[in-house]
Amino acid sequence: MQRALAFSMPSEERLGDGVMLLRHFATARQSQLIAELDLIVSAAPFRNMETPGGFRMSVAMTNCGAAGWVTDRRGYRYEAHDPATGLPWPPMPAVFAALALEAAARAGFDGFTPDSCLINRYAPGASLSPHQDRNERDFSQPIVSVSLGLPALFLFGGPTRAERPRRLTLEHGDVVVWGGPARLAFHGVAKLADGAHTLVGRLRYNLTFRKAL
Ligand code: SIN
Ligand code: FE2
């Protein structure tokens, strides 16, 4: 009990100018987050999207909020409607928006009101190559990233591909916030190792909150 408690205690680590790692910040809300996630996915199912270059992504994705991030042969962009169903993306649950607002504030970004949450699902073997989040209109707004399920090796680099990325193991409940001078940092996720998470099973989910519009 003592041990389990110690592992789930929230802690904060400033990783650099504009970058904050909030360990276990989301853990207390795990059940609500997963229940809302299930509802979103029943309305807007996960799908493996195609890159403009014609590659099928190994990470399955869906969205909630006013704008959803999509990619296909025509490019990367935000869309108000889910191309798979033609319907608006499911609304952002209050527990999602509150978590993102509070996490951003802990990192020094007050008043964060995301209008988009990209939901990534990683099965063992899935990975995300290094990229910048730059399809949003206003780079003064941070990115808030919430991890659930299996641990992943997160590669967090600098403003160009040249900087050697920091390697962080993100666990269930961990939140990373980056913004300001770090807003356009390159980041990616190494191939997910197999495992079993008590709540989530053989998967990792990542919720990425953005102010897209
Ligand atoms: C992303 O960059 O969209 C996702 C990052 C992650 O899965 O941790
Ligand atoms: Fe990203």
Side-chain angles (χ1 to χ4, degrees):
M1 191 59 210
Q2 215 43 43
R3 211 169 122 86
L5 205 61
F7 268 120
S8 59
M9 283 296 276
S11 66
E12 296 180 1
E13 195 183 336
R14 185 159 288 280
L15 299 180
D17 217 7
V19 192
M20 187 80 112
L21 170 58
L22 305 169
R23 290 270 183 216
H24 302 297
F25 192 81
T27 311
R29 281 172 267 200
Q30 59 184 10
S31 311
Q32 292 158 274
L33 294 171
I34 289 167
E36 294 289 359
L37 183 63
D38 288 341
L39 289 174
I40 292 164
V41 171
S42 61
F46 280 111
R47 78 293 309 264
N48 295 85
M49 295 194 259
E50 199 178 358
T51 66
F55 293 100
R56 191 64 65 181
M57 298 185 78
S58 60
V59 179
M61 297 177 173
T62 187
N63 291 275
C64 67
W69 187 85
V70 298
T71 173
D72 59 19
R73 289 297 194 134
R74 286 164 41 221
Y76 303 129
R77 62 194 181 277
Y78 283 93
E79 292 278 2
H81 293 81
D82 178 352
T85 63
L87 299 170
W89 297 104
M92 178 144 357
V95 62
F96 280 32
L99 177 66
L101 176 80
E102 289 168 33
R106 290 301 319 158
F109 302 100
D110 286 326
F112 181 51
T113 52
D115 52 19
S116 181
C117 175
L118 171 65
I119 304 169
N120 297 132
R121 185 186 68 190
Y122 297 74
S127 63
L128 193 62
S129 46
H131 64 277
Q132 296 168 297
D133 289 4
R134 54 180 317 143
N135 301 126
E136 301 74 29
R137 281 200 193 133
D138 181 1
F139 294 149
S140 76
Q141 296 301 302
I143 302 286
V144 173
S145 159
V146 177
S147 293
L148 294 169
L150 290 178
L153 181 59
F154 186 55
L155 307 169
F156 192 83
T160 74
R161 290 186 188 275
E163 290 82 32
R164 178 193 286 274
R166 191 189 263 272
R167 296 158 68 86
L168 298 169
T169 299
L170 296 183
E171 292 179 0
H172 179 78
D174 289 351
V175 178
V176 186
V177 181
W178 64 95
R183 176 60 180 75
L184 292 176
F186 276 87
H187 57 283
V189 178
K191 257 186 193 208
L192 193 80
D194 205 352
H197 187 269
T198 45
L199 212 64
V200 174
R202 271 182 86 195
L203 292 170
R204 169 178 187 256
Y205 294 113
N206 173 262
L207 316 177
T208 304
F209 294 91
R210 293 95 178 255
K211 178 93 177 68
L213 304 178

